[in-house]
Amino acid sequence: MRIGVIGTGYVGLVTGACFAEIGQSVLCGDVDQTKISQLKLGVMPIYEPGLAELVRGNMDAERLDFTSDLAEIARTADVIFIAVGTPQNRDGSADISNILEVSRIIGKEMKGEKIVVTKSTVPVGTSEKIRDTIESLSEFKVHVCSNPEFLREGSAVSDFTNPDRVILGVDNKYAESCLKDLYGSFMKNTEVILVMDLASAEMTKYAANAMLATRISFINSIAAFCKKKNADIQMVRKGIGSDHRIGLDYLNPGVGYGGSCFSKDMKALIKMMSDLDLNPSILLAVEELNEDQKTILFHEVIGRFGNDLTDKKIAIWGLSFKPDTGDMREAPSLATIEALLAHGASVSAHDPRAIKEAKQRFGTRISLCEDQYEVLNDASALVVHTEWDCYRHPDFEKVKSKMREAVVIDGRNLYNSNWLVSQGFEYYSVATSD
Ligand SMILES: NC(=O)c1ccc[n+]([C@@H]2O[C@H](COP(=O)([O-])OP(=O)(O)OC[C@H]3O[C@@H](n4cnc5c(N)ncnc54)[C@H](O)[C@@H]3O)[C@@H](O)[C@H]2O)c1
């Protein structure tokens, strides 16, 4: 079976590399020619643990190749995965123009029967649109499937190869058996392959992201209450999370969710529900709470120093929306930095992987350092945004020696409050009472 993947971002590149790793012949394509030229040289456009080795190893083994000629994929692949971006329209709905553009190329160029599989997150009903588009341009048979992706940035390769479940939305047995064979070849437990109709598969992705986002806003609300009433949110989290009906995942109080998916998919689901005259108020509340949560660290800063930050330098550890990725899309750090700059502060920041993206976003408006201690020079506060491992056990003596004022504002509850205070720090976090 020859596999084509269109879109070589987080989802497409991981999909292509992982299928190549199990011996499939994979051709990946993208409209971004620079990205394709880099990939052909073995240069990764993104950071994802284990991905570079996987891509280079499979290129060397001649199982994985890249092209900017999408027609070549349409002509040569038997199964084509679509993993292009589905960004947000102004009204919140998902923009599926990239999906339809790719469908047109497939329809025009295919020279035989194809299985076309959507990995991108798409509104319910998109599979039919893809099929109609392709069928209007081709005499050959097309089997359109929905196979939404659940990988998480930062652990994308291991999530892809050890998924909790694989959702296969299909409407015919031939496509079902091909995709089951494909996934079955690297999954130990094929019982986690869940076959369903197309609409249910498309909806499963939105429902999953909405559930996870809801848990995050929920625990952040409970954390705010605990802080006011001197209750320990970490104990409350354990107390509720040890109930098997609840569990502990996605119940960490923090600075709100970020990343390219949650907010975009929540808005798309809100729009889909509103269009059907259904009440999306639970989702609206989750989003509203999250927007507020993103500025919680900024409010800690002005709570401590006042509104005028003109003579203050604020150091930030962590810019990416989560650890183990360089991705800053919708990262809460963006809200903090913009608010700090608007109040006159100077900002210096460190991140193990996001410095390049931060430079593109902020230019010279903030200073960026490769050394996590250098950003602290003369800083009045250290704001910890992302829980990278390198921030978990820093040399606090060194931290203190560099700062003008020993103030730590911890958005990820990484440090022991009592110990830090005993070392002469002022400590604020989303979990500890003021
Ligand atoms: N990033 C995640 O963690 C994640 C997880 C699950 C699902 N998803 C969904 O998967 C899809 C892709 O997400 P991503 O994070 O990989 O996006 P991305 O922005 O990293 O990559 C998308 C790629 O598609 C390419 N592209 C856009 N239009 C194209 C076109 N017309 N033809 C060919 N290539 C085109 C872009 O150049 C880019 O390289 C989205 O629908 C997203 O919601 C993302």
Side-chain angles (χ1 to χ4, degrees), residues 5 8 27-33 36-37 39-40 65-73:
V5 180
T8 55
L27 181 59
C28 293
D30 204 288
V31 275
D32 185 337
Q33 301 205 357
I36 293 297
S37 312
L39 280 164
K40 275 185 158 301
D65 201 359
F66 297 94
T67 181
S68 52
D69 178 10
L70 303 182
E72 188 188 349
I73 297 181

PDB file of all heavy atoms in Angstrom, residues 5 8 27-33 36-37 39-40 65-73:
ATOM      1  N   VAL A   5       0.559  11.636   2.454  1.00  0.00           N
ATOM      2  CA  VAL A   5       0.085  12.501   3.539  1.00  0.00           C
ATOM      3  C   VAL A   5       0.175  13.932   3.033  1.00  0.00           C
ATOM      4  O   VAL A   5       1.249  14.360   2.585  1.00  0.00           O
ATOM      5  CB  VAL A   5       0.946  12.338   4.818  1.00  0.00           C
ATOM      6  CG1 VAL A   5       0.420  13.253   5.920  1.00  0.00           C
ATOM      7  CG2 VAL A   5       0.981  10.895   5.296  1.00  0.00           C
ATOM      8  N   THR A   8       2.300  18.761   6.212  1.00  0.00           N
ATOM      9  CA  THR A   8       3.412  18.181   6.998  1.00  0.00           C
ATOM     10  C   THR A   8       3.683  19.004   8.257  1.00  0.00           C
ATOM     11  O   THR A   8       4.816  19.358   8.556  1.00  0.00           O
ATOM     12  CB  THR A   8       4.718  18.082   6.174  1.00  0.00           C
ATOM     13  OG1 THR A   8       5.007  19.385   5.675  1.00  0.00           O
ATOM     14  CG2 THR A   8       4.600  17.108   5.037  1.00  0.00           C
ATOM     15  N   LEU A  27       4.779   9.127   1.009  1.00  0.00           N
ATOM     16  CA  LEU A  27       5.154  10.387   0.364  1.00  0.00           C
ATOM     17  C   LEU A  27       4.338  11.496   1.029  1.00  0.00           C
ATOM     18  O   LEU A  27       3.113  11.459   1.025  1.00  0.00           O
ATOM     19  CB  LEU A  27       4.836  10.314  -1.138  1.00  0.00           C
ATOM     20  CG  LEU A  27       5.191  11.540  -1.982  1.00  0.00           C
ATOM     21  CD1 LEU A  27       6.687  11.872  -1.898  1.00  0.00           C
ATOM     22  CD2 LEU A  27       4.794  11.327  -3.441  1.00  0.00           C
ATOM     23  N   CYS A  28       5.059  12.459   1.601  1.00  0.00           N
ATOM     24  CA  CYS A  28       4.385  13.564   2.305  1.00  0.00           C
ATOM     25  C   CYS A  28       4.480  14.836   1.479  1.00  0.00           C
ATOM     26  O   CYS A  28       5.545  15.130   0.918  1.00  0.00           O
ATOM     27  CB  CYS A  28       5.056  13.841   3.645  1.00  0.00           C
ATOM     28  SG  CYS A  28       4.886  12.546   4.846  1.00  0.00           S
ATOM     29  N   GLY A  29       3.409  15.611   1.456  1.00  0.00           N
ATOM     30  CA  GLY A  29       3.424  16.842   0.666  1.00  0.00           C
ATOM     31  C   GLY A  29       2.905  18.029   1.443  1.00  0.00           C
ATOM     32  O   GLY A  29       2.184  17.878   2.434  1.00  0.00           O
ATOM     33  N   ASP A  30       3.288  19.212   0.953  1.00  0.00           N
ATOM     34  CA  ASP A  30       2.842  20.443   1.616  1.00  0.00           C
ATOM     35  C   ASP A  30       2.920  21.585   0.605  1.00  0.00           C
ATOM     36  O   ASP A  30       3.758  21.558  -0.308  1.00  0.00           O
ATOM     37  CB  ASP A  30       3.753  20.743   2.817  1.00  0.00           C
ATOM     38  CG  ASP A  30       3.068  21.603   3.855  1.00  0.00           C
ATOM     39  OD1 ASP A  30       2.872  22.813   3.585  1.00  0.00           O
ATOM     40  OD2 ASP A  30       2.734  21.080   4.929  1.00  0.00           O
ATOM     41  N   VAL A  31       2.060  22.591   0.783  1.00  0.00           N
ATOM     42  CA  VAL A  31       2.161  23.784  -0.075  1.00  0.00           C
ATOM     43  C   VAL A  31       3.361  24.630   0.289  1.00  0.00           C
ATOM     44  O   VAL A  31       3.813  25.441  -0.522  1.00  0.00           O
ATOM     45  CB  VAL A  31       0.930  24.722   0.019  1.00  0.00           C
ATOM     46  CG1 VAL A  31      -0.165  24.288  -0.885  1.00  0.00           C
ATOM     47  CG2 VAL A  31       0.477  24.917   1.435  1.00  0.00           C
ATOM     48  N   ASP A  32       3.848  24.480   1.484  1.00  0.00           N
ATOM     49  CA  ASP A  32       4.975  25.281   1.952  1.00  0.00           C
ATOM     50  C   ASP A  32       6.288  24.686   1.404  1.00  0.00           C
ATOM     51  O   ASP A  32       6.823  23.710   1.917  1.00  0.00           O
ATOM     52  CB  ASP A  32       4.964  25.277   3.492  1.00  0.00           C
ATOM     53  CG  ASP A  32       6.028  26.176   4.088  1.00  0.00           C
ATOM     54  OD1 ASP A  32       7.035  26.452   3.383  1.00  0.00           O
ATOM     55  OD2 ASP A  32       5.871  26.584   5.248  1.00  0.00           O
ATOM     56  N   GLN A  33       6.771  25.345   0.334  1.00  0.00           N
ATOM     57  CA  GLN A  33       7.925  24.774  -0.369  1.00  0.00           C
ATOM     58  C   GLN A  33       9.194  24.828   0.467  1.00  0.00           C
ATOM     59  O   GLN A  33      10.057  23.965   0.359  1.00  0.00           O
ATOM     60  CB  GLN A  33       8.134  25.526  -1.686  1.00  0.00           C
ATOM     61  CG  GLN A  33       6.902  25.416  -2.554  1.00  0.00           C
ATOM     62  CD  GLN A  33       7.186  25.573  -4.028  1.00  0.00           C
ATOM     63  OE1 GLN A  33       8.310  25.824  -4.425  1.00  0.00           O
ATOM     64  NE2 GLN A  33       6.165  25.421  -4.845  1.00  0.00           N
ATOM     65  N   ILE A  36       9.218  21.883   2.692  1.00  0.00           N
ATOM     66  CA  ILE A  36       9.540  20.648   1.953  1.00  0.00           C
ATOM     67  C   ILE A  36      11.041  20.605   1.617  1.00  0.00           C
ATOM     68  O   ILE A  36      11.688  19.564   1.788  1.00  0.00           O
ATOM     69  CB  ILE A  36       8.677  20.551   0.667  1.00  0.00           C
ATOM     70  CG1 ILE A  36       7.209  20.352   1.047  1.00  0.00           C
ATOM     71  CG2 ILE A  36       9.159  19.423  -0.244  1.00  0.00           C
ATOM     72  CD1 ILE A  36       6.876  19.064   1.803  1.00  0.00           C
ATOM     73  N   SER A  37      11.609  21.742   1.194  1.00  0.00           N
ATOM     74  CA  SER A  37      13.051  21.748   0.875  1.00  0.00           C
ATOM     75  C   SER A  37      13.857  21.398   2.113  1.00  0.00           C
ATOM     76  O   SER A  37      14.816  20.627   2.060  1.00  0.00           O
ATOM     77  CB  SER A  37      13.519  23.128   0.389  1.00  0.00           C
ATOM     78  OG  SER A  37      12.653  23.594  -0.565  1.00  0.00           O
ATOM     79  N   LEU A  39      12.812  19.689   4.765  1.00  0.00           N
ATOM     80  CA  LEU A  39      12.588  18.283   5.132  1.00  0.00           C
ATOM     81  C   LEU A  39      13.400  17.363   4.230  1.00  0.00           C
ATOM     82  O   LEU A  39      13.958  16.359   4.679  1.00  0.00           O
ATOM     83  CB  LEU A  39      11.093  17.946   5.039  1.00  0.00           C
ATOM     84  CG  LEU A  39      10.264  18.410   6.235  1.00  0.00           C
ATOM     85  CD1 LEU A  39       8.768  18.389   5.914  1.00  0.00           C
ATOM     86  CD2 LEU A  39      10.542  17.535   7.458  1.00  0.00           C
ATOM     87  N   LYS A  40      13.526  17.705   2.972  1.00  0.00           N
ATOM     88  CA  LYS A  40      14.310  16.875   2.051  1.00  0.00           C
ATOM     89  C   LYS A  40      15.779  16.820   2.478  1.00  0.00           C
ATOM     90  O   LYS A  40      16.492  15.877   2.181  1.00  0.00           O
ATOM     91  CB  LYS A  40      14.186  17.415   0.617  1.00  0.00           C
ATOM     92  CG  LYS A  40      12.936  16.880  -0.100  1.00  0.00           C
ATOM     93  CD  LYS A  40      12.920  17.327  -1.540  1.00  0.00           C
ATOM     94  CE  LYS A  40      12.067  16.455  -2.437  1.00  0.00           C
ATOM     95  NZ  LYS A  40      12.384  15.061  -2.525  1.00  0.00           N
ATOM     96  N   ASP A  65       9.529  10.080   1.793  1.00  0.00           N
ATOM     97  CA  ASP A  65      10.012  11.162   0.931  1.00  0.00           C
ATOM     98  C   ASP A  65       9.033  12.338   0.997  1.00  0.00           C
ATOM     99  O   ASP A  65       7.920  12.199   1.506  1.00  0.00           O
ATOM    100  CB  ASP A  65      10.161  10.652  -0.514  1.00  0.00           C
ATOM    101  CG  ASP A  65      11.121  11.529  -1.324  1.00  0.00           C
ATOM    102  OD1 ASP A  65      11.654  12.526  -0.774  1.00  0.00           O
ATOM    103  OD2 ASP A  65      11.324  11.233  -2.512  1.00  0.00           O
ATOM    104  N   PHE A  66       9.484  13.472   0.485  1.00  0.00           N
ATOM    105  CA  PHE A  66       8.679  14.699   0.572  1.00  0.00           C
ATOM    106  C   PHE A  66       8.556  15.349  -0.797  1.00  0.00           C
ATOM    107  O   PHE A  66       9.466  15.259  -1.619  1.00  0.00           O
ATOM    108  CB  PHE A  66       9.349  15.682   1.546  1.00  0.00           C
ATOM    109  CG  PHE A  66       9.413  15.125   2.941  1.00  0.00           C
ATOM    110  CD1 PHE A  66      10.539  14.455   3.388  1.00  0.00           C
ATOM    111  CD2 PHE A  66       8.316  15.225   3.779  1.00  0.00           C
ATOM    112  CE1 PHE A  66      10.592  13.911   4.662  1.00  0.00           C
ATOM    113  CE2 PHE A  66       8.347  14.682   5.051  1.00  0.00           C
ATOM    114  CZ  PHE A  66       9.493  14.030   5.496  1.00  0.00           C
ATOM    115  N   THR A  67       7.429  16.006  -1.018  1.00  0.00           N
ATOM    116  CA  THR A  67       7.218  16.691  -2.290  1.00  0.00           C
ATOM    117  C   THR A  67       6.335  17.918  -2.097  1.00  0.00           C
ATOM    118  O   THR A  67       5.488  17.941  -1.191  1.00  0.00           O
ATOM    119  CB  THR A  67       6.553  15.751  -3.329  1.00  0.00           C
ATOM    120  OG1 THR A  67       6.396  16.449  -4.565  1.00  0.00           O
ATOM    121  CG2 THR A  67       5.180  15.267  -2.873  1.00  0.00           C
ATOM    122  N   SER A  68       6.541  18.919  -2.951  1.00  0.00           N
ATOM    123  CA  SER A  68       5.585  20.039  -2.944  1.00  0.00           C
ATOM    124  C   SER A  68       4.606  19.880  -4.111  1.00  0.00           C
ATOM    125  O   SER A  68       3.742  20.727  -4.313  1.00  0.00           O
ATOM    126  CB  SER A  68       6.323  21.379  -3.008  1.00  0.00           C
ATOM    127  OG  SER A  68       7.225  21.374  -4.080  1.00  0.00           O
ATOM    128  N   ASP A  69       4.764  18.783  -4.847  1.00  0.00           N
ATOM    129  CA  ASP A  69       3.854  18.499  -5.957  1.00  0.00           C
ATOM    130  C   ASP A  69       2.721  17.598  -5.440  1.00  0.00           C
ATOM    131  O   ASP A  69       2.835  16.367  -5.430  1.00  0.00           O
ATOM    132  CB  ASP A  69       4.646  17.817  -7.087  1.00  0.00           C
ATOM    133  CG  ASP A  69       3.754  17.457  -8.257  1.00  0.00           C
ATOM    134  OD1 ASP A  69       2.583  17.898  -8.273  1.00  0.00           O
ATOM    135  OD2 ASP A  69       4.213  16.726  -9.149  1.00  0.00           O
ATOM    136  N   LEU A  70       1.640  18.225  -4.998  1.00  0.00           N
ATOM    137  CA  LEU A  70       0.550  17.456  -4.378  1.00  0.00           C
ATOM    138  C   LEU A  70      -0.128  16.534  -5.388  1.00  0.00           C
ATOM    139  O   LEU A  70      -0.662  15.481  -5.025  1.00  0.00           O
ATOM    140  CB  LEU A  70      -0.474  18.407  -3.749  1.00  0.00           C
ATOM    141  CG  LEU A  70       0.083  19.385  -2.706  1.00  0.00           C
ATOM    142  CD1 LEU A  70      -1.035  20.244  -2.129  1.00  0.00           C
ATOM    143  CD2 LEU A  70       0.815  18.656  -1.586  1.00  0.00           C
ATOM    144  N   ALA A  71      -0.063  16.919  -6.677  1.00  0.00           N
ATOM    145  CA  ALA A  71      -0.656  16.073  -7.716  1.00  0.00           C
ATOM    146  C   ALA A  71       0.041  14.709  -7.753  1.00  0.00           C
ATOM    147  O   ALA A  71      -0.597  13.684  -8.006  1.00  0.00           O
ATOM    148  CB  ALA A  71      -0.530  16.768  -9.066  1.00  0.00           C
ATOM    149  N   GLU A  72       1.337  14.708  -7.470  1.00  0.00           N
ATOM    150  CA  GLU A  72       2.088  13.436  -7.471  1.00  0.00           C
ATOM    151  C   GLU A  72       1.512  12.480  -6.408  1.00  0.00           C
ATOM    152  O   GLU A  72       1.379  11.285  -6.639  1.00  0.00           O
ATOM    153  CB  GLU A  72       3.573  13.725  -7.180  1.00  0.00           C
ATOM    154  CG  GLU A  72       4.454  12.506  -7.340  1.00  0.00           C
ATOM    155  CD  GLU A  72       5.889  12.740  -6.873  1.00  0.00           C
ATOM    156  OE1 GLU A  72       6.271  13.912  -6.618  1.00  0.00           O
ATOM    157  OE2 GLU A  72       6.626  11.738  -6.748  1.00  0.00           O
ATOM    158  N   ILE A  73       1.155  13.059  -5.258  1.00  0.00           N
ATOM    159  CA  ILE A  73       0.558  12.234  -4.197  1.00  0.00           C
ATOM    160  C   ILE A  73      -0.797  11.704  -4.667  1.00  0.00           C
ATOM    161  O   ILE A  73      -1.111  10.527  -4.514  1.00  0.00           O
ATOM    162  CB  ILE A  73       0.401  13.047  -2.890  1.00  0.00           C
ATOM    163  CG1 ILE A  73       1.784  13.460  -2.376  1.00  0.00           C
ATOM    164  CG2 ILE A  73      -0.360  12.255  -1.834  1.00  0.00           C
ATOM    165  CD1 ILE A  73       1.758  14.252  -1.092  1.00  0.00           C
TER     166      ILE A  73
END
